[in-house]
């Protein structure tokens, strides 16, 4: 949503983003000319100038399979995809697949949406995409826009889908949409992170919607070797900063507590 993206990322969180070989983010709004400023409704957009913030923050791939990227129709979708391409940012989701080589390994990215407002993924589409794509890459990351807003725990259909996704060959499953930090678990030695919470968003009305995590996923020759979570707090509408020690402890303890409920 509208906000000072360049200042947000450069002043508060950009160092950790720039430290990664690749940064993958969920882009939940088209970037269009004359994006109207509004304080009501659920149609999201941003200024095309926000692309400079994405570039400065080292974001190399964005997922567009969500319930708001298509809020401004075919033209808004096409112009945003073109803008991303012109700035060397790759696009995953809505039938778009990404292969990115990092050092000597090929990483594949797929994105699927289950929330009304965007194209709804079908089970057979997911299955065939994963089975076809897995053979073309060394590691496969699948992101889902799923679940229920303002909840910490995944529902049974999310858990079933996450397990099936790993059974089909995914090495990492990550999700979003709840606007709260979710849970994580390890299934067959593969991580599932159900929601990272908000990062750049203007939902200032509650503590939970002002929190999020940046996930750092480190791969070795086999798969995900280590995971680090960096909690953030959103201030002044859409401006995340790193949580301090006490805030981080509370956020991560709560994430751990909720994750243990999945056992």
């Amino acid at each position: 949503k509208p906000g000072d993206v360049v200042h947000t990322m450069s002043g508060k969180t950009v160092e950790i983003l720039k430290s990664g070989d690749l940064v993958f983010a969920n882009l939940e709004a088209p970037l269009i000319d004359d994006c109207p400023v509004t304080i009501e409704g659920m149609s999201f957009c941003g200024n095309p100038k926000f692309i400079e913030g994405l570039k400065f923050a080292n974001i190399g791939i964005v997922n567009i399979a969500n319930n708001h990227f298509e809020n401004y129709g075919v033209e808004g979708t096409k112009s945003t995809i073109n803008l991303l391409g012109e700035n060397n940012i790759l696009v995953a989701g809505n039938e778009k697949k990404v292969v990115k080589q990092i050092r000597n390994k090929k990483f594949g990215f797929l994105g699927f949406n289950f929330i009304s407002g965007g194209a709804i993924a079908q089970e057979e589409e997911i299955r065939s995409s994963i089975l076809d794509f897995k053979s073309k890459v060394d590691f496969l990351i699948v992101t889902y826009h799923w679940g229920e807003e303002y909840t910490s725990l995944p529902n049974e259909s999310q858990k079933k889908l996450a397990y099936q996704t790993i059974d089909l060959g995914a090495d990492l499953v990550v999700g979003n949409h709840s606007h709260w930090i979710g849970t994580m678990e390890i299934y067959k030695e593969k991580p599932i992170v159900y929601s990272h919470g908000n990062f750049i968003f203007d939902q200032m009305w509650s503590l939970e919607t002002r929190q999020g995590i940046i996930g750092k996923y480190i791969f070795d020759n086999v798969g995900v070797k280590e995971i680090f979570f960096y909690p953030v707090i959103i201030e002044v509408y859409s401006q995340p900063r790193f949580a301090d020690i006490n805030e981080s402890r509370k956020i991560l303890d709560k994430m751990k507590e909720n994750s243990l409920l999945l056992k």
Side-chain angles (χ1 to χ4, degrees):
K1 299 194 74 173
D4 191 347
V5 175
V6 176
H7 171 76
T8 295
M9 292 183 173
S10 63
K12 306 292 185 181
T13 59
V14 74
E15 288 186 12
I16 191 65
L17 300 175
K18 284 185 176 291
S19 72
D21 292 309
L22 179 66
V23 180
F24 178 42
N26 179 55
L27 180 60
E28 200 155 352
L31 305 181
I32 61 172
D33 292 324
D34 301 318
C35 171
V37 176
T38 180
I39 59 173
E40 61 183 7
M42 297 298 290
S43 291
F44 297 171
C45 64
N47 192 305
K49 292 180 180 179
F50 291 178
I51 198 75
E52 297 301 324
L54 300 180
K55 290 163 58 181
F56 188 75
N58 194 35
I59 292 177
I61 305 176
V62 295
N63 168 62
I64 63 169
N66 55 61
N67 59 317
H68 288 293
F69 189 78
E70 300 176 4
N71 277 177
Y72 281 80
V74 174
E75 287 304 313
T77 298
K78 285 184 176 179
S79 63
T80 305
I81 291 173
N82 289 339
L83 178 66
L84 292 163
E86 291 166 1
N87 288 276
N88 300 312
I89 298 175
L90 303 174
V91 174
N94 292 351
E95 300 184 352
K96 293 185 178 296
K97 305 174 183 179
V98 170
V99 177
K100 181 72 173 179
Q101 183 154 332
I102 302 175
R103 299 171 192 178
N104 63 338
K105 297 294 184 181
K106 291 182 179 179
F107 289 76
F109 293 83
L110 295 173
F112 302 98
N113 173 58
F114 285 91
I115 308 301
S116 61
I120 305 297
Q122 303 300 316
E123 183 175 340
E124 185 52 41
E125 171 197 357
I126 295 170
R127 179 181 177 84
S128 61
S129 294
I130 292 174
L131 290 176
D132 174 67
F133 203 37
K134 176 61 180 175
S135 63
K136 299 177 173 64
V137 299
D138 296 296
F139 300 116
L140 178 58
I141 294 91
V142 179
T143 185
Y144 288 117
H145 210 74
W146 59 1
E148 301 169 23
E149 290 183 313
Y150 317 124
T151 59
S152 296
L153 298 177
N155 57 42
E156 289 303 315
S157 64
Q158 285 175 270
K159 291 191 287 185
K160 180 181 177 181
L161 177 59
Y163 301 157
Q164 289 176 340
T165 301
I166 289 175
D167 288 339
L168 289 169
D171 297 281
L172 170 63
V173 176
V174 295
N176 282 297
H177 176 63
S178 67
H179 302 289
W180 284 14
I181 297 170
T183 56
M184 75 157 294
E185 61 179 319
I186 304 297
Y187 172 74
K188 295 186 176 179
E189 302 184 352
K190 306 292 177 65
I192 302 164
V193 181
Y194 288 97
S195 174
H196 290 73
N198 285 334
F199 181 54
I200 297 178
F201 223 82
D202 64 357
Q203 294 179 317
M204 297 294 293
W205 64 74
S206 72
L207 179 61
E208 291 86 354
T209 55
R210 293 178 52 233
Q211 296 176 338
I213 52 172
I214 298 172
K216 185 174 184 178
Y217 302 90
I218 299 175
F219 287 75
D220 61 13
N221 289 328
V222 178
V224 178
K225 178 183 178 181
E226 292 182 288
I227 302 174
F228 296 90
F229 291 130
Y230 299 87
V232 298
I233 304 290
I234 300 171
E235 296 180 329
V236 199
Y237 289 88
S238 304
Q239 309 235 355
R241 62 163 174 83
F242 287 116
D244 64 28
I245 292 175
N246 290 330
E247 291 168 331
S248 294
R249 183 178 295 113
K250 289 179 181 179
I251 289 170
L252 295 177
D253 283 351
K254 185 64 174 179
M255 185 179 183
K256 180 179 180 180
E257 177 185 325
N258 287 332
S259 296
L260 290 173
L261 296 175
L262 303 180
K263 302 298 183 181

